[in-house]
Amino acid sequence: MPVTATSAAAPRPLVFAGFPASSWAFALRVWLAMMLALYVSFWLELESPSSAALTVAILALPTRGQGMEKAGYRLLATAIGVVASIAIAGVFSQTDGLLLAVLGIWVGLCVYVAAMLDGNRAYAAALCCITVALIAIQQIDTPLQVFPTGIARGAAIGIGVLAVALVNEVLAAPDYHPVLAGRIEALRRRLTDLTQGTEPDSAADLLHDIAAIRPEIASLATESSIGTARTASARSALVDLVSALSLGRMLAALPVTSAPAQSADDPGREAARLTTISRSWLQSEISHKLAQVRGSLDALHEGTRPYHAWRAPLYRSRRIAAETGARTAISFTLIAIFFALTGWPTTELCLSLVAVILGLGSTAPAPRTFTMVTVAAMPIACALAGILKYFVFNGVSEFQLLAIGLAPVAIGFALLISLPNPLLSSLGRLALVFTIAVLAPANPQSYDPEVFLVTSFFACLSSVLVLAAQMLLPPMSGNRRVRLLLREARGELGQLDSRRDRDLAPEEAAFRDAARVEQILTANGASTLDGQIAAKAMHCFDQAESLRRCRAELERLTRGPLARVVQDAREALARRNGAAILAAAGALRKAASRNNLSANSAIAVLVPASAVFAPPRSPIDPSQGRQP
């Protein structure tokens, strides 16, 4: 029977109430894990059972590996935060103003570390700040309770993690590696179309999409016993994609046509010969890299080690991280001073929530946008918590009624979390977390309306104060981030000859530069980046990759009859002179021909380097080629 387009099409997923079945399954797992965590916490009579439910809400991720990776970092960060809380409370508990200053410094330090990391590692750094806020700040007047409070919080978090792991295992939560393999395969196809010129894709956008996957591959290690091999395969595929893209940029920088030569000694004839050598080698190397990507994808599916376990180093600006941490510390200190001046009683909850919002906001691409979402989510959470407490439960203490009453809230917000829209997903997660935090399920449940109103008021006030502090001391703007990142890129380019970064292969260094390009493109959040900025970022990327590849290829020829010509090529690269680099490539070709040696790989990278470093109106200019 012939296969038609209709019969070959993938079956449409089952949809109910506008959400696919996978989203409903995810929401059901979140609710079951939350109820299991609460039930065990009530049974063990823990001091803070709501922390177990909050852990489930925070670990609400659609795949098993993502949830377990975040759970591991949550346990580690909680342990560090408890130790820091005990140390801070023990040393500075009687110092009043100095204690608030130390807490502000701790908040800023955690935000600095979070800004130097990515993914769940950044979340762990922020959680160190949050743990201190929920333990040391809330017990600021009773320092002797810091240790038992920390132990109780750690136990509740451990129960929440176990509940998530058990429910995901019993209900067969999906793995993430098939989704990640599909995304990498789509990037490989886009890169193939880009190098062949069949699709008008942007190299900067493609580089951004490749580097943006890096934080997600770490979760593969927690999926199964072969997760470490899958992580290495995915990492190698991403590094090879960036390497193939950089080679494609070199290929596109070559002239499309050459002028006809009149004699054997005509410079145009030599340039055409060098261009032919370069184009042939680059095309072959690009095909080889794409085949390696395909092999890494096969290894990812099979759970085997890749042909080469590349590292995927992360680029982070220390200047940006330091400024972000300093601004956060100052914002926290200003809010603490505000509470000290007002003299309001029982403001520990508000100050701890301020630290929570500042810590979580440090891991968001746009901290002010995150705070605005928090301002919107907090009243929703307080209203829902009030409805549940005084209209749904209304004095009851049976666990079955608690589970039934929380089902619509937990499942509804979990469905929002599963949406692809980042704004709605973030709103759903924050509303779920804050609803559980304000409701604070306990056994027996407290129904004091005065306590609830005070808690709701300070919860809403905390988000408003953080937004006011960010308006008074705005976070670093996207334009400033771009300027700093471009300045650092140019600075590293100027020091590339003197630096001895031998610990990174050219492919790994290219991925590190791609991570910087990704940060430049996302510096303004959802705002469209100026095309000239993207062009400057890609120009720095092209120059750095050309220099590294030329240095690596010339390093292989330093000993032997070509050593003198190789030294001349290095000096031309150090001067960043396009004409001299092209002349050095010609001299290298002639010297290799006289000595019956092959130097095609070095010639192939020197020729596009001469185009990359050529003046704007040079005969060999990148604009003459097909810049992808």
Side-chain angles (χ1 to χ4, degrees):
M1 173 177 156
V3 180
T4 63
T6 304
S7 62
R12 297 184 60 183
L14 182 63
V15 176
F16 177 73
F19 293 93
S22 58
S23 297
W24 285 100
F26 163 67
L28 180 62
R29 291 196 302 271
V30 171
W31 174 67
L32 289 176
M34 188 175 294
M35 294 306 101
L36 177 61
L38 281 175
Y39 183 83
V40 175
S41 299
F42 291 159
W43 180 59
L44 295 176
E45 298 182 355
L46 295 183
E47 181 181 340
S48 57
S50 60
S51 295
L54 284 173
T55 297
V56 175
I58 292 171
L59 300 181
L61 294 166
T63 62
R64 176 171 45 190
Q66 290 175 307
M68 293 310 300
E69 185 210 8
K70 194 171 185 178
Y73 281 114
R74 182 169 176 79
L75 290 173
L76 174 63
T78 299
I80 296 174
V82 169
V83 173
S85 299
I86 296 172
I88 293 174
V91 177
F92 302 99
S93 59
Q94 303 299 324
T95 58
D96 295 334
L98 182 58
L99 174 59
L100 293 178
V102 171
L103 290 173
I105 293 173
W106 176 259
V107 170
L109 179 62
C110 292
V111 170
Y112 168 80
V113 176
M116 293 296 295
L117 302 173
D118 68 339
N120 285 324
R121 295 188 302 165
Y123 164 75
L127 185 59
C128 292
C129 156
I130 295 170
T131 303
V132 171
L134 296 177
I135 297 177
I137 295 180
Q138 289 199 15
Q139 304 297 331
I140 197 170
D141 295 327
T142 55
L144 294 179
Q145 295 298 317
V146 169
F147 180 77
T149 301
I151 297 300
R153 175 174 168 79
I157 289 176
I159 290 175
V161 170
L162 291 176
V164 171
L166 179 61
V167 170
N168 284 344
E169 190 67 28
V170 172
L171 297 185
D175 289 332
Y176 189 56
H177 73 268
V179 178
L180 189 60
R183 294 177 61 185
I184 297 176
E185 175 62 28
L187 291 173
R188 187 189 69 84
R189 290 196 297 266
R190 286 175 58 189
L191 179 58
T192 302
D193 296 338
L194 182 64
T195 55
Q196 294 176 352
T198 58
E199 290 291 337
D201 207 342
S202 168
D205 292 339
L206 183 55
L207 207 61
H208 162 272
D209 294 343
I210 295 173
I213 297 181
R214 182 191 182 278
E216 304 177 28
I217 62 178
S219 64
L220 301 181
T222 58
E223 282 191 346
S224 62
S225 58
I226 57 176
T228 303
R230 285 195 167 117
T231 300
S233 299
R235 187 183 298 118
S236 296
L238 294 181
V239 173
D240 283 330
L241 281 173
V242 172
S243 180
L245 178 60
S246 66
L247 292 170
R249 298 277 294 177
M250 293 181 183
L251 178 63
L254 298 175
V256 177
T257 58
S258 300
Q262 300 297 328
S263 64
D265 296 331
D266 186 12
R269 182 185 181 91
E270 179 65 17
R273 185 178 298 158
L274 294 174
T275 300
T276 301
I277 294 174
S278 179
R279 179 174 287 111
S280 176
W281 186 88
L282 288 173
Q283 289 175 342
S284 174
E285 193 68 12
I286 291 172
S287 300
H288 178 61
K289 286 293 181 183
L290 291 176
Q292 289 177 335
V293 174
R294 181 70 266 173
S296 296
L297 284 173
D298 292 338
L300 174 59
H301 285 292
E302 298 168 3
T304 58
R305 302 289 298 182
Y307 78 99
H308 191 291
W310 292 116
R311 292 172 295 174
L314 175 68
Y315 179 83
R316 282 292 186 261
S317 170
R318 289 186 174 88
R319 175 71 177 275
I320 294 177
E323 287 197 24
T324 303
R327 290 169 187 264
T328 305
I330 294 173
S331 298
F332 177 84
T333 305
L334 289 176
I335 297 174
I337 293 174
F338 168 78
F339 284 127
L341 293 177
T342 57
W344 292 347
T346 64
T347 58
E348 296 87 357
L349 173 63
C350 188
L351 192 58
S352 62
L353 286 177
V354 166
V356 170
I357 296 172
L358 289 173
L360 291 178
S362 66
T363 63
R368 181 178 290 184
T369 302
F370 175 84
T371 305
M372 295 177 65
V373 175
T374 303
V375 171
M378 198 68 79
I380 297 174
C382 293
L384 286 175
I387 293 172
L388 287 174
K389 179 172 286 192
Y390 297 106
F391 292 95
V392 177
F393 302 145
N394 194 23
V396 301
S397 58
E398 290 79 4
F399 181 80
Q400 296 86 342
L401 295 178
L402 175 67
I404 295 173
L406 284 177
V409 175
I411 294 176
F413 284 136
L415 290 174
L416 281 182
I417 294 173
S418 67
L419 291 176
N421 187 312
L423 184 61
L424 292 177
S425 178
S426 178
L427 179 63
R429 185 178 301 279
L430 290 175
L432 177 60
V433 169
F434 291 140
T435 299
I436 300 300
V438 175
L439 179 64
N443 188 20
Q445 183 70 40
S446 172
Y447 289 96
D448 188 342
E450 182 178 353
V451 173
F452 176 78
L453 290 176
V454 171
T455 301
S456 300
F457 170 74
F458 281 122
C460 295
L461 180 62
S462 62
S463 59
V464 174
L465 288 176
V466 172
L467 183 60
Q470 290 179 345
M471 295 179 65
L472 182 63
L473 186 66
M476 183 181 294
S477 66
N479 291 333
R480 176 165 173 75
R481 288 174 181 268
V482 169
R483 288 196 301 269
L484 288 175
L485 290 170
L486 287 176
R487 185 186 306 168
E488 292 172 1
R490 297 190 186 101
E492 288 188 7
L493 188 63
Q495 302 173 2
L496 199 59
D497 295 323
S498 59
R499 292 178 59 190
R500 296 294 179 183
D501 49 351
R502 300 297 186 183
D503 57 328
L504 292 180
E507 291 84 355
E508 296 169 339
F511 189 90
R512 181 176 179 270
D513 289 346
R516 177 164 45 205
V517 173
E518 187 265 340
Q519 294 170 45
I520 292 174
L521 295 182
T522 56
N524 285 316
S527 302
T528 303
L529 188 69
D530 185 3
Q532 293 183 353
I533 299 296
K536 291 178 181 178
M538 292 305 298
H539 188 58
C540 291
F541 175 83
D542 293 338
Q543 290 183 331
E545 300 326 302
S546 294
L547 288 175
R548 289 196 186 96
R549 287 192 177 274
C550 289
R551 186 178 66 181
E553 295 298 337
L554 292 175
E555 187 72 23
R556 304 172 184 175
L557 305 175
T558 51
R559 295 183 180 180
L562 304 180
R564 187 185 185 95
V565 184
V566 167
Q567 183 60 32
D568 293 340
R570 286 179 169 176
E571 293 176 357
L573 288 169
R575 297 196 305 269
R576 311 291 196 263
N577 189 316
I581 294 173
L582 185 61
L588 182 60
R589 187 196 67 80
K590 295 177 181 178
S593 179
R594 288 195 301 268
N595 291 276
N596 292 324
L597 297 175
S598 175
N600 286 352
S601 60
I603 296 170
V605 293
L606 284 171
V607 175
S610 68
V612 170
F613 290 103
R617 296 187 179 181
S618 176
I620 301 180
D621 189 272
S623 61
Q624 296 178 7
R626 297 178 295 103
Q627 282 289 350

